Amino acid sequence: MSNVIKSFQYVAMEDSKLVELPAPPVLKQEQLQDGELTEEQQLELDNLMQMKDQILQDAESFAEEQVRAAMDEAAAIRQQTQAEIEAWWDERRQLDQETIEQAMDRGFEQGYQEGLARAEAELRQQYDSMLQEASQILEQSYVLKQQIIQESEPFLIELSCSIAEKIVDRQLTLESEWVIELIQKVLSRRREKGIIALCVSPSQFSYIQDAREELLLHLDSQAELQIIPDASVQDRGCVIRSSFGSIDARIDTQLNEIKNALRQVALRSEGS
């Protein structure tokens, strides 16, 4: 705030007028003693009284004007001073508000950055935790998968063989000549002489007996084929016996061999 110093209005000595009162008349001793004034003296005295009253009135008017001027000046100074004080306070309030806003902005930005860093740290921690948990679940799932496979392999083998047996039986039912082809392939492997016994299921004896001539084409000319019904052959397969040994070509026997081979593979996989 600027200090305003202004002087009151004043009247310079050169601007003021000095009023010189005329010297009072000198009365003669005898006139004062008698108490009577001449007409000229009375007139001069009246003039002096009027001049005195005028001087007093002028002095009073001048004093009033000076007082009013001083009051107006003081009011103007007070108004200007009040305006400057209010301007100063407005400036201070604006500066304080800007300072507060800047502090709030800095605090907000700092809080935002801290919150962002804290949120990123928490999210990263949650992500690492979830990733670790997912890795554990994946590992457990792999172990569980292997366990389920190992536990299911025997059942799957039995189921697969059972399905295969039904499929083969169904195929043999639909294509009965397939039995003849199977026996022909087995006989073709045994180019032997002497008696060859072909053991078949009793239910298939007549059918295979009718195909005797066709089967002889797959034997040595010096071999003798005997077709024998055998109750141990339960399916449409056969058992071939000769002096060199026997061949078990029963369907269930072949399926059992396949089943045992699958079990051996499963055991090796479990061991590894």
Side-chain angles (χ1 to χ4, degrees):
M1 179 180 67
S2 61
N3 294 324
V4 179
I5 301 176
K6 294 186 179 180
S7 62
F8 294 143
Q9 292 182 357
Y10 68 95
V11 179
M13 292 297 296
E14 57 271 15
D15 295 335
S16 62
K17 296 180 179 180
L18 297 179
V19 180
E20 295 181 357
L21 296 178
V26 180
L27 301 178
K28 297 180 179 181
Q29 186 68 24
E30 60 273 11
Q31 291 177 341
L32 291 176
Q33 291 177 354
D34 294 338
E36 294 180 359
L37 296 176
T38 64
E39 183 179 355
E40 182 180 357
Q41 291 174 343
Q42 185 65 41
L43 180 60
E44 186 176 358
L45 179 60
D46 292 339
N47 290 333
L48 289 174
M49 294 299 294
Q50 290 178 1
M51 187 178 295
K52 180 192 71 170
D53 294 337
Q54 185 65 40
I55 291 172
L56 291 176
Q57 186 178 358
D58 292 342
E60 184 177 357
S61 299
F62 178 76
E64 290 177 357
E65 291 179 359
Q66 293 298 316
V67 170
R68 283 195 299 269
M71 292 177 64
D72 293 340
E73 185 71 18
I77 293 173
R78 183 170 60 252
Q79 184 176 2
Q80 183 177 358
T81 303
Q82 183 67 28
E84 293 182 357
I85 292 174
E86 291 178 357
W88 183 83
W89 277 115
D90 291 339
E91 183 180 359
R92 291 303 307 173
R93 280 193 294 268
Q94 185 176 359
L95 291 176
D96 293 342
Q97 184 65 28
E98 292 177 356
T99 303
I100 292 173
E101 291 178 356
Q102 291 176 1
M104 291 178 63
D105 291 340
R106 288 195 299 270
F108 175 79
E109 181 66 22
Q110 182 178 0
Y112 174 78
Q113 294 297 332
E114 291 178 355
L116 181 62
R118 184 163 55 252
E120 288 179 352
E122 291 178 357
L123 288 176
R124 184 174 298 278
Q125 185 177 1
Q126 292 178 3
Y127 174 77
D128 293 340
S129 178
M130 292 174 64
L131 185 62
Q132 184 177 2
E133 183 178 357
S135 178
Q136 293 176 355
I137 292 175
L138 181 62
E139 184 177 356
Q140 293 175 359
S141 299
Y142 178 77
V143 174
L144 182 61
K145 173 187 174 183
Q146 293 299 113
Q147 182 179 355
I148 292 174
I149 292 175
Q150 292 175 2
E151 293 177 354
S152 301
E153 280 179 347
F155 170 75
L156 293 175
I157 291 173
E158 294 291 337
L159 180 62
S160 300
C161 291
S162 177
I163 293 173
E165 185 177 357
K166 290 182 180 180
I167 292 174
V168 171
D169 184 71
R170 177 66 175 173
Q171 190 68 23
L172 291 174
T173 302
L174 296 176
E175 300 180 10
S176 56
E177 65 274 10
W178 190 81
V179 177
I180 303 302
E181 294 177 1
L182 174 63
I183 296 174
Q184 289 174 354
K185 290 180 181 179
V186 175
L187 292 176
S188 298
R189 298 174 186 173
R190 306 295 296 268
R191 289 292 181 176
E192 301 177 5
K193 299 177 181 180
I195 299 174
I196 297 176
L198 177 60
C199 301
V200 297
S201 172
S203 61
Q204 294 287 311
F205 176 73
S206 298
Y207 176 73
I208 296 174
Q209 184 68 31
D210 293 339
R212 178 184 180 85
E213 296 299 328
E214 185 178 353
L215 296 175
L216 289 174
L217 297 176
H218 296 276
L219 293 176
D220 190 274
S221 59
Q222 298 181 4
E224 181 182 353
L225 178 63
Q226 294 181 352
I227 302 176
I228 304 171
D230 190 344
S232 63
V233 182
Q234 299 294 329
D235 51 30
R236 293 177 174 82
C238 64
V239 176
I240 298 176
R241 295 186 177 93
S242 66
S243 58
F244 292 95
S246 62
I247 297 176
D248 190 348
R250 291 175 295 182
I251 302 299
D252 58 351
T253 301
Q254 296 181 35
L255 290 176
N256 286 330
E257 291 296 328
I258 295 173
K259 186 187 300 183
N260 292 331
L262 292 175
R263 287 174 179 172
Q264 293 297 325
V265 173
L267 290 175
R268 286 195 296 270
S269 299
E270 183 179 356
S272 60

